[in-house]
Amino acid sequence: MYKVDLNSDLGESFGAYKIGMDEAVIAHVSSANVACGFHAGDPLVMEKTVAACRAAGVAVGAHPGFPDVMGFGRRNMACSPKEIKAYVQYQVGALLAFTAAQGVELQHVKPHGALYNMAAKDFDLALAIAQGVAAAAPKAILLGLAGSKLLEAGRQAGLRVASEVFADRAYQADGSLVPRSQPGAVIHDREEAISRTLRMVTRGTATAITGEEVPIDAHSICVHGDNPSAVEFVQAIRARLEGEGVAVAPISQIV
């Protein structure tokens, strides 16, 4: 039987600003990536999100990003490896305070946005992230783009790693994500997202935006929580996966 994790980026509201539909999404995922205050989120939102995950039996992961609230962490920044390690260690440590207080284990760490995409191709940056995770939460699983430098760096740092694929994002021929600035980068059609997800999980391939078949490992599937169709997507994807005999389970039960 196939088994896969279904995750979403959550806890991205802050202050008076509400982003995403966390409560509705949590009901359908097995793991949550919780923003840690740099690109989004704040202490109250972090506490509330961890509590909601605990109540729903959803595994919790940290979602550290660049210190860029204005750009939602999706703008590239020039930071030294020393800075990146400290940024990650700081953010993971912040979320650990809330998971520890509520008796929840921190299952994984998944970098956010530009930090995630840059680390997919830049090994030095990826290693700095992995070292930050190892310093703050050495038992946590490092979740990164399938086939990326981040997974390689995680292994070198002595971490367990898991390969992530995206239900609602288009791929390039090298296995990286199509930049959001390009047409077709985000998939809005539910049936297309479902069929792509099933292919990645059961066949181990994704179709690139240019038509090539890209080999891919799918330990965890991401549906972005800020996608307007997030609830519809995650509910439909889980139903179809389970209907096809694919079990949905937290990352810790897969790697």
Side-chain angles (χ1 to χ4, degrees):
M1 173 186 278
Y2 294 103
K3 185 183 288 187
V4 71
D5 174 60
L6 188 58
N7 80 72
S8 190
D9 304 338
L10 303 174
E12 294 178 324
S13 299
F14 58 96
Y17 300 93
K18 180 174 174 59
I19 297 176
M21 296 153 282
D22 291 6
E23 295 83 359
V25 171
I26 283 174
H28 304 290
V29 297
S30 46
S31 298
N33 318 306
V34 182
C36 302
F38 267 32
H39 77 277
D42 64 33
L44 287 175
V45 171
M46 292 164 72
E47 181 181 43
K48 179 181 178 182
T49 307
V50 171
C53 289
R54 180 188 180 194
V58 170
V60 175
H63 198 36
F66 281 128
D68 180 25
V69 172
M70 289 288 286
F72 198 63
R74 287 178 176 160
R75 299 185 292 192
N76 291 5
M77 295 183 68
C79 303
S80 70
K82 185 175 182 179
E83 288 173 314
I84 293 298
K85 177 179 179 291
Y87 290 165
V88 170
Q89 187 174 345
Y90 181 93
Q91 292 176 82
V92 173
L95 190 65
L96 276 170
F98 294 105
T99 57
Q102 299 192 43
V104 174
E105 181 180 357
L106 186 74
Q107 174 188 247
H108 67 281
V109 177
K110 171 190 167 181
H112 167 80
L115 183 62
Y116 180 99
N117 290 322
M118 290 171 69
K121 298 183 178 182
D122 183 334
F123 182 78
D124 291 338
L125 175 62
L127 186 59
I129 293 170
Q131 290 171 341
V133 174
K139 294 183 179 179
I141 298 164
L142 181 60
L143 181 60
L145 185 68
S148 69
K149 296 291 185 183
L150 186 58
L151 301 184
E152 181 184 341
R155 295 187 190 98
Q156 183 168 313
L159 298 170
R160 292 162 67 193
V161 299
S163 299
E164 182 178 42
V165 299
F166 289 81
D168 55 1
R169 291 293 306 278
Y171 282 85
Q172 301 191 97
D174 64 357
S176 62
L177 299 179
V178 175
R180 286 176 177 269
S181 58
Q182 295 184 17
V186 178
I187 295 164
H188 299 286
D189 182 87
R190 185 183 70 180
E191 288 305 313
E192 182 182 357
I194 291 171
S195 64
R196 288 168 62 88
T197 299
L198 281 170
R199 189 182 310 118
M200 289 188 284
V201 173
T202 62
R203 299 184 187 176
T205 63
T207 303
I209 199 167
T210 45
E212 297 93 339
E213 288 298 305
V214 181
I216 208 160
D217 288 325
H219 296 140
S220 186
I221 304 160
C222 178
V223 176
H224 286 94
D226 64 325
N227 185 326
S229 304
V231 178
E232 178 187 359
F233 270 30
V234 75
Q235 185 174 12
I237 288 169
R238 179 161 191 161
R240 185 71 65 83
L241 285 169
E242 292 176 338
E244 296 287 338
V246 178
V248 176
I251 305 166
S252 58
Q253 295 183 23
I254 296 168
V255 299

